[in-house]
Amino acid sequence: MFGRRSPGPRPDDSGGLGIGALVQVVDTDRGGERWQGEPIGVIVAAGGVQLGGTQRTWTVAFDEPVYTQDGRGPFERATVLGRQLVPVEPAAADEV
């Protein structure tokens, strides 16, 4: 009844996300911070799981300082919802 949950994938876990992964931050219709452009960075730490345990976050270090759409910043790193992160191939990052 009050035991541990069996380990299993979380709804927003996707392949390719983890410390050291090169990612692009994208806007979603399901919440999260809105960023100017679609900044690219590297996941440097697990950010944890938000209340309810369904939204994993990651700490992303950006390749250059970024701003939010409402003008806050510059940020060199930020905690971002996993569902806003898309893995990027290193060659693709050079083209952006």
Side-chain angles (χ1 to χ4, degrees):
M1 175 167 27
F2 293 108
R4 293 183 178 200
R5 292 185 195 173
S6 61
R10 297 191 181 269
D12 60 344
D13 282 349
S14 60
L17 294 184
I19 295 173
L22 184 63
V23 293
Q24 185 167 23
V25 182
V26 298
D27 287 337
T28 68
D29 295 336
R30 299 175 18 213
E33 190 68 64
R34 303 279 183 190
W35 298 94
Q36 288 182 6
E38 293 186 331
I40 291 178
V42 174
I43 295 176
V44 294
V49 178
Q50 290 188 341
L51 187 63
T54 61
Q55 297 183 23
R56 178 172 296 281
T57 62
W58 297 95
T59 301
V60 177
F62 298 108
D63 58 347
E64 57 185 51
V66 298
Y67 292 83
T68 60
Q69 285 186 359
D70 61 5
R72 289 178 290 129
F75 295 96
E76 292 182 1
R77 57 176 53 195
T79 301
V80 181
L81 292 174
R83 66 173 167 243
Q84 289 185 270
L85 300 176
V86 176
V88 174
E89 293 297 321
D94 293 336
E95 297 171 4
V96 174

